[in-house]
Amino acid sequence: MTTKKLTQKIDIRTLTMIIVLIIIWVAFAVATGGSFITARNISNLIRQAAFTSIMGVGMTLVIVTGGIDLSAGMSMGLIGCVMAACQVWGGMSTPVTILIGLVLGCVIGAIEGSIIAYVGIAPFIVTLGAQLICRGGMLAVTKGQTIAPFNKDYIFWGTEYLLPYAGWIVALIAIAAKFLLQMNQRRAKQKHGNLEESMTETMVRFGAFAVLVAVAVFILNRFKGIPIPVMVMVIVVVIFTFISQRTTFGRSVYAIGGNIAAARYAGINVKKNLTIVYILNGLLCAVAAVIYTARLNGGTATAANGSYELDAIASAVIGGTSMTGGVGKVSGAILGAVMMMSIDNGMSMMNMDSYWQFMIKGLILVAAVWFDTQTKKVQK
């Protein structure tokens, strides 16, 4: 097998990022005397990463089209504040409150996407303007104060855990689904005469997935179980992986990011699909807002100080999404988010100054983009 074919067959970038993540975990484990890799800390770390991963999934689709969303963090904050006002001040039930948040997220995304697609203003400008508008909206809604507390059934989405036996049931379902999916993919490729992977290679990939799931559930169950935010994250990733890889819309999104002119000539409704991408991104910002406010048990304008849109962008890029568009997997956002949260968590445990966190995350982001360009050169 030639070097070119080997690099195409193996996702070098993902493998490299996994190795880097392992190194980071080992380094923090040594530096903290093992405290970093306790079940409690890993559970907290994964729960924090779930929130960023969900935003990263939406950001992945946006970046794949060649766009950007600088308003994601502020949109999430505004949606959270509106939901807090609806439940705490308006006395609305949890289902109604969450529905209002999801609709608001779609509306924000629809406005941004329509302006970008139909008016023709650059995504950078549109979303930067939306960022400022949402920041002002948060202050207008909250009047600078924290709106709390939420009902118990709302807090559930950010603080509760699956019972251990339920976690194992979920793990078995996931492993069985992965096996069936891989077998169906093999049959489809064999039918069309483009099956290149041996059964041994397929089973090795499946075995690695099964072991990873089992180990993850075992570790999380040693604390309290699988956090509900993590379950929401997994569901989001599964749904959007299907959308991006198995639907006409998903293929259109990659075509637009790869070559927008060619996509138009191919008959793809570029404006419509771009708008839908931003609507979905807004929807996921709303889902993240539910988890974020449920974990804090309140809505606050200080969400504007978190730079969460930058974490979402970094998660997508570190996870393998190319800033030039046309390349990326929504599942990669999980890897990127875990890496970002690992740095925050580990440095906090070491009592390091916060400026080191920003500097190191910035270096990793630049390194990820550089690695992307180098990988493309090798594949060519």
Side-chain angles (χ1 to χ4, degrees):
M1 184 179 293
T2 64
T3 302
K4 183 177 180 180
K5 288 183 178 180
L6 183 61
T7 56
Q8 290 175 341
K9 191 170 184 178
I10 300 174
D11 191 340
I12 298 178
R13 177 169 183 155
T14 300
L15 180 60
T16 302
M17 290 303 159
I18 291 175
I19 293 173
V20 171
L21 179 61
I22 292 173
I23 293 173
I24 290 173
W25 278 36
V26 171
F28 281 135
V30 173
T32 60
S35 299
F36 180 82
I37 55 174
T38 61
R40 179 188 183 92
N41 189 61
I42 291 177
S43 179
N44 290 334
L45 189 157
I46 299 299
R47 187 175 62 177
Q48 293 168 4
F51 157 76
T52 305
S53 297
I54 292 171
M55 293 185 66
V57 168
M59 192 66 70
T60 296
L61 294 180
V62 169
I63 296 176
V64 164
T65 65
I68 196 73
D69 183 8
L70 299 178
S71 69
M74 301 303 160
S75 297
M76 181 276 298
L78 175 60
I79 294 167
C81 290
V82 169
M83 288 191 294
C86 287
Q87 182 154 106
V88 178
W89 292 344
M92 297 182 183
S93 66
T94 293
V96 173
T97 298
I98 292 177
L99 179 60
I100 289 173
L102 297 179
V103 171
L104 179 57
C106 291
V107 169
I108 293 173
I111 294 172
E112 292 180 350
S114 297
I115 295 174
I116 292 168
Y118 292 95
V119 180
I121 301 178
F124 180 90
I125 300 300
V126 173
T127 58
L128 180 60
Q131 180 191 89
L132 299 175
I133 293 171
C134 290
R135 183 189 291 268
M138 277 190 288
L139 294 173
V141 170
T142 64
K143 307 300 181 184
Q145 60 183 307
T146 298
I147 308 174
F150 282 105
N151 296 342
K152 289 184 178 180
D153 56 346
Y154 186 98
I155 299 173
F156 167 86
W157 295 102
T159 60
E160 294 300 319
Y161 301 81
L162 286 181
L163 294 174
Y165 76 87
W168 284 117
I169 292 174
V170 170
L172 290 174
I173 293 174
I175 292 172
K178 178 67 173 179
F179 178 79
L180 293 175
L181 178 61
Q182 287 199 170
M183 291 301 102
N184 287 335
Q185 288 176 341
R186 279 189 61 85
R187 282 193 291 267
K189 290 180 179 180
Q190 193 170 26
K191 181 179 178 180
H192 293 90
N194 58 356
L195 179 62
E196 297 180 356
E197 186 178 64
S198 67
M199 178 59 78
T200 300
E201 291 173 320
T202 300
M203 294 311 296
V204 166
R205 284 198 299 113
F206 168 73
F209 173 82
V211 170
L212 179 62
V213 170
V215 170
V217 172
F218 174 77
I219 293 173
L220 294 175
N221 279 349
R222 291 192 64 186
F223 181 53
K224 291 183 178 181
I226 301 176
I228 295 300
V230 174
M231 285 303 306
V232 175
M233 174 195 72
V234 171
I235 292 171
V236 165
V237 170
V238 169
I239 291 174
F240 278 81
T241 296
F242 176 80
I243 291 173
S244 63
Q245 297 182 5
R246 301 292 177 178
T247 66
T248 301
F249 165 73
R251 289 188 288 271
S252 298
V253 169
Y254 284 91
I256 292 170
N259 190 322
I260 191 169
R264 288 195 179 100
Y265 284 126
I268 295 173
N269 191 330
V270 173
K271 294 179 179 179
K272 175 184 175 182
N273 284 303
L274 277 177
T275 303
I276 293 174
V277 165
Y278 281 89
I279 291 174
L280 293 175
N281 182 55
L283 175 64
L284 292 181
C285 286
V287 174
V290 173
I291 293 175
Y292 180 78
T293 52
R295 182 162 58 90
L296 293 182
N297 192 19
T300 174
T302 57
N305 301 324
S307 300
Y308 296 116
E309 64 278 350
L310 300 182
D311 283 343
I313 293 171
S315 297
V317 174
I318 292 172
T321 303
S322 174
M323 290 299 294
T324 58
V327 177
K329 292 182 179 180
V330 296
S331 58
I334 297 179
L335 176 61
V338 170
M339 184 174 294
M340 299 291 283
M341 292 304 104
S342 295
I343 294 171
D344 285 344
N345 183 279
M347 290 189 171
S348 295
M349 293 184 69
M350 294 173 62
N351 295 319
M352 295 181 66
D353 293 324
S354 60
Y355 61 80
W356 281 111
Q357 298 178 24
F358 292 110
M359 292 170 66
I360 292 179
K361 286 194 292 187
L363 288 172
I364 291 177
L365 178 58
V366 173
V369 175
W370 173 83
F371 192 77
D372 174 59
T373 59
Q374 296 302 309
T375 302
K376 287 182 177 178
K377 290 179 181 179
V378 171
Q379 290 177 343
K380 288 180 181 179

